[in-house]
């Protein structure tokens, strides 16, 4: 029987992408935008399935205007690649030639007045070019104007995220069998990268291996430190599988942990569980952060929980929504995000436990299912 990581995934269809573009245009109109200008990056991949062969100074932009056929403007030499994208059948694909003015071409599609949403990754040179061609327009980042654009996942996306999570879980189950003591952090990080790729990832985004005092740095870059008996080790790793992200963290211990180490780990585990149990439709994202933070604060470690509780995940490993104070967006079925509280004791050790969770109609569902107990490794 195949595991979730090995199961064949149904391909994305033209209808999937056409529906996403249609919904995006409607959502933009509802937000008071004249349209969207989507340049290379996660928004473009999500909306039409096109990932340019290279991101250069040549303008590539999907232009979405309510009531009009979507138009993808690309350098002429890359038009064959654009036409091969799954969503291309729902788009007018227009090539522009070197020496031409792509911004004037874009202005033929975009109404001359109004506020447009632009991808967060849009190069300044392209935004300035659009402003010159359309002087009576203004622009807002899509991430701010439409924070929910990619936040709610459809069935195909949820399947891919579950598969990526299962592959990360399989990676963890193998890494805890290798020897830690006497090896460098970077050696364990290399093992994690190899295992993620072996379990189907096409891209490894990060392999945090924080041993001993390095574990107190949440984004520690694995280095030359030799892992020793008695070290707590934070393992945080993930990447892309079938175009969708994985991201999980477990904290292990080399040899038997002390009473204090066990207690700190238990507090983080309790905070992670409490935050998971708080997931349900209608709950504000910030409430997930508050629940986790309350457990850690009540245990006397509040000042050592130094980051948000979670972030969204999809075609990138970090994206909206964010489980952080001030984020009042309500949870909606189909949202996927991390829950990853931690305690970081400077100069000593750190503990973090992270799962990807999706909100369902009745609560939360974990996409990572490895044991959350403190694992002892050799």
């Amino acid at each position: 029987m195949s595991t979730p990581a090995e199961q064949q995934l149904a391909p994305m269809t033209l209808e999937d992408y056409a529906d996403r573009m249609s919904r995006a245009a409607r959502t933009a109109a509802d937000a008071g935008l004249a349209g969207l200008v989507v340049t290379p990056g996660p928004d473009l991949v999500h909306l039409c399935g096109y990932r340019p062969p290279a991101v250069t100074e040549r303008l590539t932009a999907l232009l979405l205007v309510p009531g009009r056929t979507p138009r993808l403007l690309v350098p002429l030499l890359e038009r064959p690649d654009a036409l091969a994208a799954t969503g291309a059948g729902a788009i007018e694909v227009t090539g522009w030639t070197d020496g031409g003015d792509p911004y004037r071409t874009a202005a033929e599609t975009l109404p001359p007045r109004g506020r447009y949403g632009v991808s967060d990754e849009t190069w300044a040179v392209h935004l300035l070019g659009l402003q010159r061609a359309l002087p009576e327009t203004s622009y807002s980042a899509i991430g701010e104007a439409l924070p929910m654009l990619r936040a709610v996942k459809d069935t195909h996306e949820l399947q891919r995220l579950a598969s990526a999570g299962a592959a990360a879980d399989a990676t963890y189950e193998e890494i805890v069998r290798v020897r830690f003591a006497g090896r460098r952090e970077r050696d364990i990080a290399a093992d994690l990268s190899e295992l993620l790729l072996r379990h189907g990832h096409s891209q490894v985004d990060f392999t945090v291996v924080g041993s001993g005092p390095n574990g107190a740095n949440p984004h520690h870059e694995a280095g030359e430190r030799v892992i020793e008996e008695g070290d707590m080790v934070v393992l945080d790793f993930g990447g892309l599988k079938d175009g969708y992200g994985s991201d999980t963290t477990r904290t292990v211990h080399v040899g038997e942990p002390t009473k204090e180490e066990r207690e700190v780990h238990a507090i983080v585990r309790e905070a992670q569980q409490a935050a998971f149990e708080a997931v349900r439709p209608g709950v504000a994202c910030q409430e997930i952060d508050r629940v986790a933070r309350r457990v850690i604060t009540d245990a006397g470690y509040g000042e050592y929980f130094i980051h948000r509780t979670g972030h969204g995940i999809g075609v990138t490993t970090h994206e909206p929504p964010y489980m952080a104070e001030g984020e009042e967006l309500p949870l909606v079925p189909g949202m996927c995000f991390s829950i990853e509280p931690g305690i970081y004791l400077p100069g000593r050790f750190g503990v973090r436990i992270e799962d990807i969770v999706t909100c369902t109609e009745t609560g939360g569902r974990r996409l990572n299912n490895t044991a959350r107990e403190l694992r002892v490794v050799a």
Side-chain angles (χ1 to χ4, degrees), residues 34 110-116 134 136-138:
L110 301 173
R113 298 174 185 83
R115 182 169 64 99
Y116 288 91
L134 297 162
E136 296 184 61
T137 59
S138 61

Side-chain angles (χ1 to χ4, degrees), residues 47-58:
L47 289 169
C48 69
Y50 179 49
R51 192 186 301 273
V55 179
T56 71
E57 74 284 355
R58 292 184 173 100

Side-chain angles (χ1 to χ4, degrees), residues 25 59 75 81 139 176 187 271-272 337:
L59 178 67
D81 297 301
Y139 299 86
V176 294
D187 297 329
Q272 209 259 358
F337 48 90

Side-chain angles (χ1 to χ4, degrees), residues 11 62 99 170 375:
L62 174 65
R375 184 82 170 253

Side-chain angles (χ1 to χ4, degrees), residues 74-98:
V74 298
L76 185 61
L77 75 165
E78 295 175 5
R79 189 168 184 268
D81 297 301
L83 288 170
T86 305
I91 303 169
E92 176 189 336
V93 181
T94 302
W96 63 272
T97 59
D98 287 344

Side-chain angles (χ1 to χ4, degrees), residues 17-327:
Y17 290 116
D19 181 60
R20 289 178 196 171
M21 287 186 282
S22 178
R23 283 190 285 112
R26 291 196 307 270
T27 302
D30 291 342
L33 299 175
L36 299 178
V37 178
V38 184
T39 54
D43 291 334
L44 188 64
V45 173
H46 171 76
L47 289 169
C48 69
Y50 179 49
R51 192 186 301 273
V55 179
T56 71
E57 74 284 355
R58 292 184 173 100
L59 178 67
T60 294
L62 174 65
L63 309 176
L64 296 179
V65 177
R68 299 187 185 181
T69 300
R71 187 181 193 186
L72 180 61
L73 190 61
V74 298
L76 185 61
L77 75 165
E78 295 175 5
R79 189 168 184 268
D81 297 301
L83 288 170
T86 305
I91 303 169
E92 176 189 336
V93 181
T94 302
W96 63 272
T97 59
D98 287 344
D101 186 343
Y103 309 108
R104 287 292 175 192
T105 304
E108 296 171 3
T109 295
L110 301 173
R113 298 174 185 83
R115 182 169 64 99
Y116 288 91
V118 295
S119 298
D120 297 8
E121 299 78 13
T122 300
W123 286 18
V125 65
H126 297 320
L127 183 56
L128 293 169
L130 288 169
Q131 289 177 320
R132 285 194 299 271
L134 297 162
E136 296 184 61
T137 59
S138 61
Y139 299 86
S140 297
I142 286 177
E144 293 182 0
L146 300 178
M148 294 284 284
L149 181 67
R150 305 196 319 265
V152 179
K153 273 58 181 181
D154 60 30
T155 299
H156 286 165
E157 292 180 296
L158 289 172
Q159 290 172 344
R160 282 159 173 76
L161 285 163
S163 177
D169 283 357
T171 294
Y172 175 72
E173 294 294 357
E174 291 198 45
I175 199 67
V176 294
R177 298 191 183 100
V178 309
R179 183 160 188 84
F180 281 65
R183 300 179 69 206
R184 298 171 301 176
E185 292 173 339
R186 64 185 299 177
D187 297 329
I188 303 298
D191 289 344
L192 285 169
S193 292
E194 180 184 346
L195 287 167
L196 285 168
L197 294 171
R198 187 189 305 168
H199 287 290
H201 281 65
S202 60
Q203 175 178 312
V204 177
D205 286 347
F206 48 87
T207 51
V208 173
V209 180
S211 64
N214 289 341
N217 176 359
H219 283 172
H220 172 69
E221 186 171 342
E224 297 297 323
R225 185 181 186 277
V226 175
I227 300 170
E228 303 173 351
E229 183 84 13
D231 278 347
M232 194 82 89
V233 185
V234 178
L235 304 171
D236 182 354
F237 51 93
L240 296 182
K241 180 179 185 293
D242 300 306
Y244 282 78
S246 69
D247 185 0
T248 189
T249 306
R250 294 291 184 264
T251 302
V252 301
H253 197 277
V254 185
E256 284 302 313
T258 66
K259 179 181 179 182
E260 180 191 23
E261 288 170 333
R262 286 190 181 278
E263 288 175 350
V264 170
H265 190 279
I267 292 164
V268 174
R269 184 180 172 200
E270 180 185 352
Q272 209 259 358
Q273 178 65 25
F276 170 72
E277 291 176 358
V279 173
R280 60 184 182 277
V283 171
C285 291
Q286 67 180 6
E287 183 61 21
I288 306 304
D289 180 83
R290 289 174 177 177
V291 168
R293 201 165 299 278
R294 189 176 304 124
V295 172
I296 291 174
T297 298
D298 288 349
Y301 289 92
E303 66 182 293
Y304 302 112
F305 181 11
I306 56 177
H307 56 72
R308 65 196 175 201
T309 294
H311 57 81
I313 190 168
V315 292
T316 60
T317 48
H318 283 203
E319 63 184 45
Y322 299 105
M323 306 301 115
E325 184 64 32
E327 180 55 87

